[in-house]
Amino acid sequence: MPLPTSPVIRRARLGAELRQLRRREALTLEQVCDRLGWASTSKLSRIELGQSRPDLADVLDLLDVYQVPPPQRDALIVIARDAAISRGWWKSLGEMGERQRTYAELEAGAAGIVEYQPALVPGLLQTPAYARLRIAAGQLVDPGVDIEADLRARAARHAVLRRVEPPDYTALISQLACEPGDDPVEVWREQLRHLLDLAELPHVTIRLLPAAGAGPQPVPLTPFSCYSFPDPADPRTVMVEALTTDVRLTTATDVERYQRMTECLLAAALPEEETARVLTRRLDE
């Protein structure tokens, strides 16, 4: 079910707000925990860093310590409830691993998503057969991957593009993604047809990029995705993919740098109509 906000982002927002309130009161982590009778500072530190799902009672106690007035208090309580999210929604994510769960949370509340992939079709656009090949290839470096569980998790995430109020989604894909390589031809034909079908949706934009080195524009070698949210006060976020874990960036400097990179990629990418013609031509071949 779609969420009005993204839980992982609301946790980051709540933590930043609480940290600012504590510093305004000139209190240390130790002083706050002493007042509340918390055993250690790690609990408060994790809340301020947005690393844990906050308990509403704990947040109310913190607002009391910081003497937050009613209007601001009410706004922070709303954010805390969004950050906590219901256990029912967590259950609906099923057996997602931690990495996919983070993406699912970001996607669930996003108003806009831009994804860049230098070699593969992005996960939200993959067919089950194509995704199976990619997951199976990943077993070479992570033998513990459960292919079937990963496929079910990806299928659950795909619903975000078909929900009642979907995000504006843009995929910037290297033309290498149109090359089947050693993959079965029918898998690629199905994937190309799927891309063309999704491109017909009014909120989905798919544009192809020249291969790295084919032009003067910078082409990063690492995939990344950018997220914006309905509440402008929620921090815009960039996820950078790595082999073992993904990096989440929320500072204005980092996000703006990736925004500039995205603008360069958009300027270099083929228009939507030309992208559709290229995909259709590859499909016919």
Side-chain angles (χ1 to χ4, degrees), residues 84-279:
I85 68 173
S86 69
R87 292 187 181 276
W89 191 77
W90 275 96
K91 186 176 179 180
S92 73
L93 296 184
E95 45 201 340
M96 280 189 189
E98 191 61 35
R99 294 179 77 175
Q100 285 227 53
R101 192 180 296 272
T102 298
Y103 281 100
E105 284 195 4
L106 289 167
E107 292 158 359
I113 303 172
V114 178
E115 287 200 83
Y116 163 71
Q117 269 287 352
L120 303 175
V121 173
L124 285 179
L125 307 181
Q126 293 177 2
T127 63
Y130 179 89
R132 183 182 294 276
L133 289 175
R134 303 282 75 78
I135 298 168
Q139 282 188 317
L140 296 174
V141 293
D142 185 2
V145 170
D146 184 332
I147 294 178
E148 299 306 321
D150 207 331
L151 280 172
R152 288 191 292 270
R154 292 183 189 223
R157 286 174 55 203
H158 289 173
V160 72
L161 295 181
R162 301 284 188 177
R163 74 189 189 198
V164 176
E165 295 183 6
D168 289 326
Y169 176 85
T170 298
L172 296 165
I173 313 171
S174 169
Q175 291 197 41
L176 290 174
C178 295
E179 302 298 330
D182 295 328
D183 293 337
V185 173
E186 281 309 308
V187 171
W188 273 93
R189 290 180 61 82
E190 180 188 37
Q191 180 62 69
L192 292 177
R193 282 193 294 267
H194 187 58
L195 289 177
L196 288 166
D197 289 342
L198 288 174
E200 294 294 323
L201 298 175
H203 56 280
V204 174
T205 299
I206 299 174
R207 298 177 62 184
L208 292 178
L209 285 158
Q217 72 288 337
V219 179
L221 301 179
T222 305
F224 66 86
S225 47
C226 304
Y227 304 85
S228 58
F229 303 94
D231 186 341
D234 285 345
R236 291 181 300 159
T237 298
V238 174
M239 291 293 291
V240 182
E241 291 187 32
L243 181 61
T244 57
T245 188
D246 299 327
V247 180
R248 178 157 58 96
L249 305 173
T250 57
T251 64
T253 301
D254 290 336
V255 171
E256 287 169 7
R257 183 170 297 177
Y258 273 90
Q259 181 62 42
R260 290 194 295 271
M261 175 58 71
T262 298
E263 291 170 358
C264 290
L265 294 172
L266 286 167
L270 297 179
E272 294 176 68
E273 299 79 5
E274 181 62 22
T275 292
R277 284 194 289 270
V278 171
L279 292 176

Side-chain angles (χ1 to χ4, degrees), residues 18 31 42 45 53 56 63 127 172 176 196 277:
L18 292 174
Q31 289 171 326
S42 62
S45 178
R53 187 168 63 89
L56 184 57
L63 297 180
T127 63
L172 296 165
L176 290 174
L196 288 166
R277 284 194 289 270

